[in-house]
Amino acid sequence: MIGLALSGGGSRAMAFHLGCLRALDDLGILERIGVLSTISGGSVIGALYAYTPHLSFPEFESLLRVELRRGFHGRIELELAKPHNLFACIASSFASRVDETGRLIHWNTGLRRYRSRTDMFRKVLERQVFRGLTMSSPRRNNVEMVIGACECRFVGCVPHPPSSTRSPLGLREKRSRGETAGTPNRRRDLR
């Protein structure tokens, strides 16, 4: 069995990995991949490749090139500018600042987080890139997927999504509450 790992790095990682996937396709190796392990920006291209078996490689490449040309920052900002998202993000930013101050005096505020830019990115991916795909959607050559992502704030990291039934990419998961890709839902202190 052949495994392939795609690292993170945002849009640049997606562009780099597209070249790597093209080279593997040209060599006839890509269709033999049995496990695809991804993180961050590599997760976007990896999931898009795996969950679009109806597209030939040139069609997949064309789709990804269009998405990369469109960019993600502007679409995230448009999502953030919607009034219900904007106010929730402001509230979340305020809660984060209170929590940061509370940590200095060893006080756990327990304030609820609302939406963040990460959530806006997930919405953009869900609505505009993955469009109804789910974790149980057919996969190219039944490749096994290991999708990793996390949302880091200050000194703690929370496996993403913290208490949701959606993957970090906007693909809906069928998992129990709080479970993400084999990682328990808990804060990890990175100090």
Side-chain angles (χ1 to χ4, degrees), residues 4-145:
L4 178 64
L6 302 178
S7 65
S11 296
R12 284 181 290 232
M14 288 185 260
F16 175 80
H17 293 316
L18 181 59
C20 294
L21 293 177
R22 184 184 323 115
L24 291 172
D25 186 59
D26 290 346
L27 294 170
I29 297 172
L30 191 57
E31 72 257 3
R32 295 178 23 214
I33 302 290
V35 177
L36 189 54
S37 178
T38 64
I39 188 73
S40 196
S43 294
V44 176
I45 184 174
L48 189 60
Y49 173 74
Y51 288 97
T52 54
H54 58 283
L55 299 178
S56 67
F57 187 80
E59 292 170 327
F60 161 75
E61 182 177 24
S62 177
L63 171 66
L64 188 62
R65 284 174 177 268
V66 167
E67 293 299 337
L68 288 171
R69 266 189 232 109
R70 287 180 66 198
F72 292 104
H73 290 287
R75 292 188 271 174
I76 292 168
E77 289 170 5
L78 285 174
E79 190 69 37
L80 179 61
K82 294 177 181 176
H84 61 282
N85 289 332
L86 183 60
F87 294 125
C89 284
I90 290 170
S92 186
S93 178
F94 173 75
S96 293
R97 291 194 183 4
V98 170
D99 271 354
E100 183 179 348
T101 303
R103 270 195 286 279
L104 294 174
I105 58 172
H106 304 289
W107 175 55
N108 183 7
T109 62
L111 291 177
R112 183 173 187 267
R113 295 293 188 275
Y114 295 94
R115 295 179 192 107
S116 68
R117 287 182 304 247
T118 303
D119 297 312
M120 301 306 108
F121 185 44
R122 181 190 53 80
K123 286 182 178 187
V124 167
L125 290 174
E126 183 176 273
R127 291 182 189 149
Q128 299 176 23
V129 178
F130 291 104
R131 297 185 181 119
L133 292 174
T134 67
M135 297 293 285
S136 59
S137 292
R139 292 182 312 276
R140 193 179 301 263
N141 302 323
N142 285 324
V143 65
E144 292 294 322
M145 287 297 298

Side-chain angles (χ1 to χ4, degrees), residues 134-137 164-167 171-177 179-181:
T134 67
M135 297 293 285
S136 59
S137 292
S164 152
T165 58
R166 296 180 188 263
S167 80
L171 296 171
R172 291 181 190 88
E173 295 181 273
K174 291 184 179 177
R175 296 185 184 273
S176 63
R177 183 173 173 83
E179 180 186 346
T180 61

